[in-house]
Amino acid sequence: MLNYKKSMVCLLIFLLLLMPVVYASDGDYTIPSARVDVEILNDTTVIVTEEINQNIEGTVNGVFRDIPLFESQSITNVSVDTPGYYNTVELISSNNKARIKVWLYKDEGKTQKVNNANVKVIYHYTFNKAVKIHNDIAELQLKTWGSQWESSVDKLETNIILPATNEDTEYWTSPPTQVQSSQWVDDHTLRTVLENVPSNQYIEQRILIPKQSFSSYDNAIITNVDAKDAIEKMQKKYLDDLEFHDFIDNVLSFIMALLLIVPVGIYWLYGREPKIDYKADYEVEPPTDDSALFVNNIVVGDVGEFDVNAFNATLLSLIDRKYYTIISTNDNDTVIRRTDKSDKGLKEYEIDILNHMNYYALSNGDISLNSIRNSDAEYFKSFIADWKDHANEEISKSRIAELFDDKGGNMMKIMGILLFVLGLIFMVYVLISDSSMTVIILSVLMMVIGLTVVFLPNTVGGRWTVEGREYHDKWINFKNYLEDYSLIEEYPPASVQVWGKYLVYATALGCAKEVSENMIKYFDSINMSDDYYHDNSIVYFGYYGGFYHMDSFNHLSTVSSDSSSDIGSVGGGFGGGGGGTF
């Protein structure tokens, strides 16, 4: 099994030669048209009505609508109309998403499923905490169409009704490429018509509204920041960047294909994988006795590099070995506390974690994993960089060499640096001479391609040895087993201790939440006693939601240092999401 990233590279290489054939199956759908009406009341409440026309192919149970939620946001007053069809509505809420699930029927007795039909689904709901109140302005930043829709939309109409008049407002639609028209149909209503919105494309509408338009802020988010100038500059920069990127995309496509020949040649010579006899679809046990740290270093991402899940897996191992005790764990938070167990005998990278976790401890020693999410991201990033250096000391370089040949990966990086340097030289030439546009474009492209190639994962240019290919594929197949509930049901881990061990590996492989969900589903299906969970700290941790709170570390590792939680960047608006059939 090829690494996913390498598979994507192969797809790009043969894109012009292959013509994929797509077959329709039950549950496929298209959206010829949709309409979204948003009314902002003067108490900052937002009333949403979404009319979505779905052409459904085959037989389905119904349709669903996913709406992302952040922090204190929620949706209430949910109802659904399906003219010509009967329905049953189910609202499923979690910490970061609400799903409106609509079971569809052709008959009043609700026995006949819908098949091969055009269904108009009208969602009504109140979106709470969608308006932001800044010091100088009020803001609605709402994704009126979400990026999780897997169908394109031929025509999308949005109507936003404001408590203010249009003369007092400022608005943007992002991205603007599909906007056919956007105009005020009366003093308070902004109508935007968009055509040919691609699948997985969000539409965000951002409006600045005078604060005095609202009688109260009870249903708003109060930021206590000055935002108007920053938002205007951000939107201008977004439009400037979009225009530049469109220019590059349209003008340089052919040249880019030519420049890619050299990296593709390196891949062809050094990156193609050896053939092996191993053909299994899954592994029900860990294929080797290697530590979770080593597995993360080899199997996930760049070979020889860690990601934040190596840190997470090591912390779990410390919990499992009683260096921490679990004080409480539930849907809201998981709290751990350092025990008095001596750190004698621990590796340096493990002691680093013990010391680092003290940073988050309260006066009584309690460490709230959920609250870590809001701590200093730069502090964590600085720590994790040093921690990876210490963790690398535990990884055998000779063992890595037995599994992976990085010659092509190194050549890719050298070629990327060369392209970037040549691009800079040409750019200097452009600045001091009357150069043609072709030279300007070529110099920019060489720098862009050079940087891209430099940051490609080493599994693209490099390749596994025969032993390494089998090693990698077996661990990926073990991950497949952990993520496939039908396999867990058929071949369950033998004991609670084995479950704990598998959860540590799942963390290292980046699928801990999915595997913990499978574990919970399996335990519930066999009515497992609560006492069983307490026999292993990691199982107890996973069963009661600990992995969702450990995601705080993943969040810290990706937070941008110049971002603001109070002023959203373009594409960061509330709402959006998507939907489909089931």
Side-chain angles (χ1 to χ4, degrees):
M1 181 188 302
L2 290 177
N3 179 280
Y4 171 77
K5 293 178 180 176
K6 184 169 289 187
S7 299
M8 292 302 297
V9 172
C10 293
L11 176 63
L12 290 173
I13 294 172
F14 297 107
L15 185 61
L16 298 177
L17 301 177
L18 299 179
M19 293 294 293
V21 179
V22 179
Y23 296 92
S25 61
D26 281 2
D28 284 348
Y29 68 94
T30 58
I31 303 178
S33 64
R35 172 173 169 163
V36 179
D37 294 333
V38 179
E39 182 177 5
I40 309 171
L41 304 183
N42 62 10
D43 65 351
T44 65
T45 300
V46 175
I47 309 297
V48 181
T49 299
E50 300 174 339
E51 180 181 301
I52 300 171
N53 294 302
Q54 291 181 246
N55 283 330
I56 296 173
E57 298 178 1
T59 302
V60 299
N61 293 309
V63 298
F64 66 90
R65 173 78 174 92
D66 284 340
I67 303 170
L69 302 172
F70 298 92
E71 296 179 354
S72 59
Q73 291 179 334
S74 64
I75 63 169
T76 53
N77 303 321
V78 175
S79 64
V80 179
D81 298 323
T82 51
Y85 295 91
Y86 298 88
N87 69 67
T88 299
V89 178
E90 180 183 4
L91 178 62
I92 305 171
S93 297
S94 63
N95 290 338
N96 58 3
K97 181 178 72 175
R99 168 168 288 191
I100 306 173
K101 198 170 184 180
V102 185
W103 301 79
L104 293 173
Y105 307 94
K106 293 192 290 186
D107 63 318
E108 187 174 4
K110 298 183 177 181
T111 60
Q112 300 177 29
K113 295 182 179 181
V114 171
N115 66 297
N116 297 325
N118 176 265
V119 180
K120 180 185 293 185
V121 185
I122 306 173
Y123 300 92
H124 308 273
Y125 58 90
T126 300
F127 199 130
N128 302 298
K129 304 292 186 180
V131 174
K132 286 183 178 181
I133 302 297
H134 305 295
N135 288 341
D136 51 357
I137 201 75
E139 174 195 10
L140 176 73
Q141 186 184 13
L142 186 68
K143 288 180 179 174
T144 44
W145 192 255
S147 60
Q148 296 174 24
W149 288 103
E150 295 182 357
S151 169
S152 59
V153 186
D154 296 339
K155 182 178 180 180
L156 171 64
E157 177 184 314
T158 69
N159 295 280
I160 301 179
I161 304 173
L162 304 176
T165 63
N166 58 48
E167 295 179 352
D168 299 326
T169 62
E170 191 173 4
Y171 73 90
W172 301 268
T173 301
S174 305
T177 46
Q178 276 77 42
V179 176
Q180 181 192 44
S181 64
S182 188
Q183 58 188 355
W184 294 95
V185 296
D186 59 44
D187 288 345
H188 298 276
T189 305
L190 174 65
R191 175 171 296 163
T192 303
V193 178
L194 305 102
E195 291 185 340
N196 301 317
V197 179
S199 60
N200 304 116
Q201 171 66 67
Y202 72 84
I203 299 297
E204 176 184 278
Q205 294 184 271
R206 190 175 206 164
I207 305 179
L208 300 185
I209 311 164
K211 294 171 63 176
Q212 57 268 29
S213 304
F214 298 98
S215 59
S216 71
Y217 305 149
D218 293 343
N219 206 12
I221 296 173
I222 311 298
T223 67
N224 296 315
V225 298
D226 295 326
K228 186 174 185 294
D229 288 345
I231 291 171
E232 290 172 340
K233 290 177 182 178
M234 186 181 299
Q235 291 291 158
K236 182 180 185 305
K237 183 179 185 301
Y238 167 76
L239 291 174
D240 291 344
D241 290 346
L242 190 63
E243 183 179 354
F244 175 75
H245 291 143
D246 287 345
F247 170 76
I248 294 297
D249 288 345
N250 293 331
V251 177
L252 302 182
S253 295
F254 179 70
I255 300 176
M256 184 178 291
L258 292 179
L259 290 178
L260 283 174
I261 289 176
V262 174
V264 169
I266 293 174
Y267 165 77
W268 186 257
L269 290 173
Y270 299 103
R272 291 180 297 162
E273 301 292 354
K275 294 181 179 180
I276 58 175
D277 294 331
Y278 175 72
K279 301 295 182 183
D281 294 325
Y282 56 86
E283 296 283 342
V284 298
E285 295 180 352
T288 70
D289 293 330
D290 290 307
S291 67
L293 189 77
F294 186 81
V295 171
N296 179 270
N297 190 265
I298 298 298
V299 179
V300 180
D302 275 357
V303 177
E305 298 291 340
F306 297 109
D307 69 3
V308 71
N309 288 308
F311 169 90
N312 292 339
T314 306
L315 177 57
L316 278 181
S317 176
L318 292 169
I319 295 173
D320 188 42
R321 287 178 285 160
K322 311 301 182 186
Y323 289 94
Y324 289 97
T325 185
I326 301 172
I327 302 301
S328 64
T329 181
N330 51 49
D331 290 343
N332 297 320
D333 197 4
T334 295
V335 177
I336 63 174
R337 184 186 297 166
R338 176 77 165 92
T339 67
D340 57 3
K341 185 175 181 178
S342 171
D343 61 11
K344 185 177 181 180
L346 288 180
K347 304 288 187 181
E348 185 175 7
Y349 73 96
E350 294 174 317
I351 295 175
D352 286 345
I353 291 181
L354 295 180
N355 294 333
H356 177 72
M357 293 301 291
N358 287 335
Y359 173 77
Y360 306 110
L362 300 177
S363 58
N364 64 353
D366 285 358
I367 301 171
S368 163
L369 296 188
N370 193 42
S371 66
I372 290 174
R373 183 180 189 86
N374 299 317
S375 62
D376 188 345
E378 291 308 304
Y379 176 79
F380 179 75
K381 290 177 183 179
S382 175
F383 161 77
I384 206 71
D386 293 336
W387 179 82
K388 287 178 181 180
D389 290 338
H390 290 159
N392 260 314
E393 296 173 3
E394 302 301 319
I395 303 300
S396 169
K397 302 304 182 288
S398 60
R399 179 84 186 285
I400 293 178
E402 292 173 359
L403 300 174
F404 186 73
D405 180 3
D406 197 23
K407 183 187 298 182
N410 291 331
M411 291 184 66
M412 280 282 198
K413 285 181 170 52
I414 293 171
M415 178 54 63
I417 293 171
L418 181 61
L419 286 173
F420 182 75
V421 171
L422 288 175
L424 281 177
I425 293 173
F426 278 118
M427 183 58 70
V428 172
Y429 175 73
V430 166
L431 295 175
I432 63 175
S433 65
D434 186 17
S435 302
S436 67
M437 182 59 68
T438 301
V439 177
I440 297 173
I441 293 171
L442 186 58
S443 63
V444 172
L445 180 61
M446 293 181 74
M447 288 190 291
V448 172
I449 295 297
L451 284 175
T452 301
V453 171
V454 166
F455 290 106
L456 280 175
N458 59 5
T459 50
V460 174
R463 61 183 165 199
W464 300 100
T465 64
V466 171
E467 178 187 353
R469 172 78 184 278
E470 184 169 334
Y471 181 96
H472 171 268
D473 288 3
K474 283 184 175 180
W475 273 104
I476 292 298
N477 283 341
F478 178 62
K479 179 181 179 182
N480 293 340
Y481 156 72
L482 293 174
E483 293 178 318
D484 190 333
Y485 178 73
S486 64
L487 293 175
I488 290 290
E489 195 173 30
E490 186 174 358
Y491 307 107
S495 67
V496 67
Q497 286 75 23
V498 175
W499 268 111
K501 177 182 178 182
Y502 285 11
L503 285 170
V504 174
Y505 277 127
T507 302
L509 291 167
C511 59
K513 286 191 286 189
E514 294 86 347
V515 177
S516 66
E517 288 172 357
N518 281 343
M519 178 187 73
I520 293 169
K521 184 177 180 181
Y522 175 72
F523 285 172
D524 290 348
S525 72
I526 60 175
N527 296 318
M528 187 64 70
S529 166
D530 289 350
D531 294 338
Y532 185 79
Y533 314 141
H534 292 266
D535 287 343
N536 183 274
S537 296
I538 305 305
V539 172
Y540 175 62
F541 181 89
Y543 188 85
Y544 291 103
F547 287 107
Y548 289 91
H549 306 128
M550 183 168 277
D551 193 53
S552 294
F553 296 110
N554 301 65
H555 171 76
L556 289 178
S557 68
T558 59
V559 172
S560 173
S561 60
D562 60 354
S563 66
S564 170
S565 60
D566 293 325
I567 302 177
S569 60
V570 177
F574 301 137
T581 58
F582 65 93

